[in-house]
Amino acid sequence: MAAEEEDCRLKMIKSRIRDFPDFPKKGILFRDICPILKDPGALSAVTSLFEEHVRGQFQHVDFVVGLDARGFLFGPLLAQRLGVGFVLVRKKGKLPGATVSVAYDLEYGKAEAEIQEDAVSPGHKVILIDDLLATGGTLYAACALMHQRQVEVLSCLVVVELKDLNGADRLKPHPVYSLLQY
Ligand SMILES: O=P(O)(O)OC[C@H]1O[C@H](OP(=O)(O)OP(=O)(O)O)[C@H](O)[C@@H]1O
Ligand SMILES: Nc1ncnc2[nH]cnc12
């Protein structure tokens, strides 16, 4: 894609992010991605940019793995475009059957991430996806879950990256691909 066209798409996507100061706690500037979902053109542009990135960088992907909850909004669309399956990393206590879990910290709290034990298998190559990277706690926990299952994380994809919180450093050596940086 021409650089100008990519720039134009990114500007359009950025115009669909709303800022809410002091949500969910005082001092947090919440970046709301809901307007992207209301605009089919913006949602399609997000999916296309992710698809082009993955196709350009990786020969083979087994699964797209989405993070609870907003990774579930973008992940299945990307998985369909790539022609691969989608796997859920959920907050603890939501998945039936045998599971594996990891605790983590967030920009505004604590949580525990979980996958079904048979969701992925050793040797699989996956793309992790979420709406936003802040401290990196959530994606780090998802990477830890993948390592426990001997799965290779090819890349972590997010729509928004909050640069000041250095989440990408925490995720090293896993590459992070973000569409918008703040
Ligand atoms: O990089 P981090 O500091 O871990 O923060 C990023 C995570 O925080 C938000 O999810 P949240 O836990 O609020 O859950 P939700 O998607 O269920 O609203 C966001 O959707 C990411 O998953
Ligand atoms: N500032 C923020 N806006 C939206 N989601 C978030 N998750 C963690 N920090 C966030």
Side-chain angles (χ1 to χ4, degrees):
M1 190 200 325
E4 263 171 53
E5 194 192 328
E6 179 166 336
D7 224 43
C8 180
R9 288 208 231 174
L10 289 171
K11 276 195 184 120
M12 190 260 282
I13 296 164
K14 193 162 195 170
S15 75
R16 302 291 187 270
I17 306 263
R18 284 190 303 185
D19 295 348
F20 288 93
D22 298 324
F23 181 88
K25 285 185 178 169
K26 202 163 173 48
I28 302 289
L29 178 60
F30 193 85
R31 309 284 186 177
D32 177 29
I33 52 85
C34 291
I36 294 178
L37 303 168
K38 279 181 77 179
D39 177 349
L43 187 55
S44 165
V46 166
T47 313
S48 296
L49 288 164
F50 282 152
E51 181 188 2
E52 283 155 26
H53 174 75
V54 173
R55 286 193 187 280
Q57 295 280 313
F58 307 108
Q59 300 264 321
H60 177 80
V61 175
D62 289 297
F63 291 109
V64 173
V65 178
L67 275 52
D68 195 347
R70 284 167 268 157
F72 300 167
L73 304 169
F74 301 102
L77 294 173
L78 175 63
Q80 286 274 299
R81 289 272 193 97
L82 296 172
V84 303
F86 177 73
V87 167
L88 295 80
V89 170
R90 292 223 61 184
K91 298 216 167 97
K92 196 171 168 64
K94 303 284 187 183
L95 291 168
T99 57
V100 192
S101 64
V102 168
Y104 63 98
D105 293 322
L106 279 161
E107 194 186 5
Y108 41 68
K110 283 183 183 300
E112 215 164 323
E114 196 163 67
I115 52 162
Q116 288 175 314
E117 216 171 56
D118 61 1
V120 283
S121 302
H124 276 157
K125 294 175 193 285
V126 301
I127 296 288
L128 299 186
I129 186 164
D130 205 352
D131 66 324
L132 180 140
L133 174 65
T135 64
T138 308
L139 273 163
Y140 186 86
C143 288
L145 282 174
M146 293 303 123
H147 292 162
Q148 275 192 28
R149 308 303 299 146
Q150 294 160 286
V151 166
E152 185 182 342
V153 175
L154 297 172
S155 187
C156 301
L157 310 188
V158 290
V159 180
V160 174
E161 179 178 1
L162 306 182
K163 282 282 192 188
D164 288 355
L165 295 171
N166 298 320
D169 284 344
R170 187 159 178 196
L171 294 174
K172 276 178 185 164
H174 306 295
V176 170
Y177 176 69
S178 57
L179 299 184
L180 305 172
Q181 300 79 30
Y182 291 86

